[in-house]
Amino acid sequence: MERLFQVLTEREEKSSVAIASNESFSGWTRTVTHPRLCAAIVERLTFAGNIIETGTDSYRLAQTRAGAEQAG
């Protein structure tokens, strides 16, 4: 995660960055466990950025869950 923050910092105001996630920002603390680093990453991504919410369920997640139910 520290490397991700470094990349975002280096690209700030130079190039675009696109990130896709099935998790809302509030849920990112489960992946980025350091609270200050998580807040810094979210801040870098959202500052002067565009957030596109599709409101759709993940096809891959649905397939994974369906496979797990069939196996279990």
Side-chain angles (χ1 to χ4, degrees):
M1 286 300 139
E2 290 174 9
R3 178 68 180 131
L4 174 61
F5 178 74
Q6 182 181 4
V7 168
L8 293 173
T9 300
E10 290 171 0
R11 294 181 63 92
E12 189 174 14
E13 298 184 22
K14 294 178 185 171
S15 299
S16 298
V17 175
I19 294 183
S21 176
N22 293 332
E23 188 68 67
S24 65
F25 288 130
S26 63
W28 281 28
T29 56
R30 288 191 290 271
T31 304
V32 185
T33 56
H34 190 282
R36 291 180 73 188
L37 180 58
C38 184
I41 289 172
V42 170
E43 179 185 349
R44 288 279 193 269
L45 288 172
T46 58
F47 178 74
N50 297 309
I51 298 172
I52 302 169
E53 294 186 58
T54 61
T56 59
D57 292 329
S58 166
Y59 171 79
R60 289 181 185 97
L61 181 58
Q63 292 299 311
T64 300
R65 287 181 177 160
E69 289 174 4
Q70 291 175 356

